[in-house]
Amino acid sequence: MNDNNGRIYIRFLDVSDTDDMLDLMLRNRQLFEGVSPKRNESFYTKEVQEKSILTSNSQREEDKRYAFGIFLKETQQLIGDIALFEVQRGPHQKCILGYSMDQAHNGKGYMTEAIQLILKYAFEEVGLQRVEAGVMPRNVGSIRVLEKAGFQQEGLNRKLLEINGKREDHLLFAMLAEDFLKA
């Protein structure tokens, strides 16, 4: 997906992206481990990264997860990933948004662009009505990204996830299709 005026584009990952994804994860391991649930050491191998991409592709076919890479238009470099996961149909019509960005590219507005592209996909292509995102209160950069993208804070999920051996609170943000499509 591409916005002609944007500096990035998003597309589904395929196995040809395995080495680039592994490199991204290894370069940013310390940063990502500070905000993500614990990962096994095997996560940082080519085999697991390839399997993750293949699993995401099959989950897309099952309408459970839509995972994209974030790429710079100018260089085609993979600089992050973004996904809609835990898709719920029926009366809910919602999912959770997750994302990560190479620390070398933080603070440049790329994630805000990527979120706009994936929201367009979520609401216009997949037909969801609600996209939720959770962020730890101390992750000020991620909170700012969600607010810039138009998400509204709705509450606090106490001790939602275990991060680095400690249960962490997460602020709940959401974007509704009607709000996105009006903007």
Side-chain angles (χ1 to χ4, degrees):
M1 296 194 58
N2 192 344
D3 171 3
N4 290 333
N5 299 321
R7 300 166 296 157
I8 57 100
Y9 64 93
I10 63 174
R11 69 164 169 77
F12 295 122
L13 294 167
D14 62 46
V15 292
S16 69
D17 297 310
T18 301
D19 289 337
D20 291 337
M21 184 55 84
L22 178 59
D23 185 52
L24 177 72
M25 293 299 148
L26 288 170
R27 277 196 327 273
N28 294 277
R29 183 174 181 165
Q30 185 175 0
L31 173 68
F32 295 165
E33 287 181 351
V35 295
S36 301
K38 185 174 174 62
R39 295 173 167 146
N40 292 329
E41 195 61 35
S42 64
F43 178 81
Y44 299 98
T45 64
K46 184 174 180 171
E47 294 75 26
V48 169
Q49 291 301 313
E50 183 175 310
K51 183 177 180 188
S52 177
I53 290 170
L54 292 170
T55 299
S56 289
N57 290 341
S58 67
Q59 288 178 333
R60 179 175 72 239
E61 292 170 14
E62 297 167 2
D63 191 34
K64 293 180 180 177
R65 177 184 182 91
Y66 297 87
F68 297 83
I70 303 169
F71 298 85
L72 286 176
K73 280 186 182 176
E74 190 175 320
T75 63
Q76 313 302 310
Q77 178 189 5
L78 176 66
I79 61 169
D81 66 319
I82 189 165
L84 306 169
F85 62 96
E86 293 187 19
V87 174
Q88 294 181 27
R89 293 300 185 170
H92 284 110
Q93 297 297 325
K94 71 174 188 170
C95 70
I96 298 173
L97 171 68
Y99 51 84
S100 62
M101 175 67 62
D102 187 331
Q103 60 191 345
H105 296 282
N106 281 345
K108 298 178 182 176
Y110 296 139
M111 188 55 73
T112 302
E113 286 184 44
I115 290 174
Q116 291 303 312
L117 291 172
I118 205 167
L119 288 174
K120 183 175 176 52
Y121 183 81
F123 297 133
E124 295 179 5
E125 302 292 324
V126 182
L128 296 170
Q129 295 300 307
R130 178 181 174 87
V131 175
E132 298 176 351
V135 60
M136 290 182 292
R138 63 182 160 82
N139 191 344
V140 177
S142 195
I143 292 169
R144 189 165 184 271
V145 164
L146 291 170
E147 290 173 342
K148 280 176 58 180
F151 279 72
Q152 293 183 27
Q153 185 177 329
E154 294 187 335
L156 177 70
N157 290 323
R158 297 179 321 138
K159 300 188 180 201
L160 180 67
L161 288 174
E162 184 176 317
I163 311 285
N164 287 327
K166 179 183 174 213
R167 300 292 305 178
E168 293 275 0
D169 294 346
H170 280 67
L171 297 171
L172 174 64
F173 286 82
M175 172 68 76
L176 304 179
E178 61 198 58
D179 296 332
F180 180 78
L181 298 172
K182 274 194 285 190

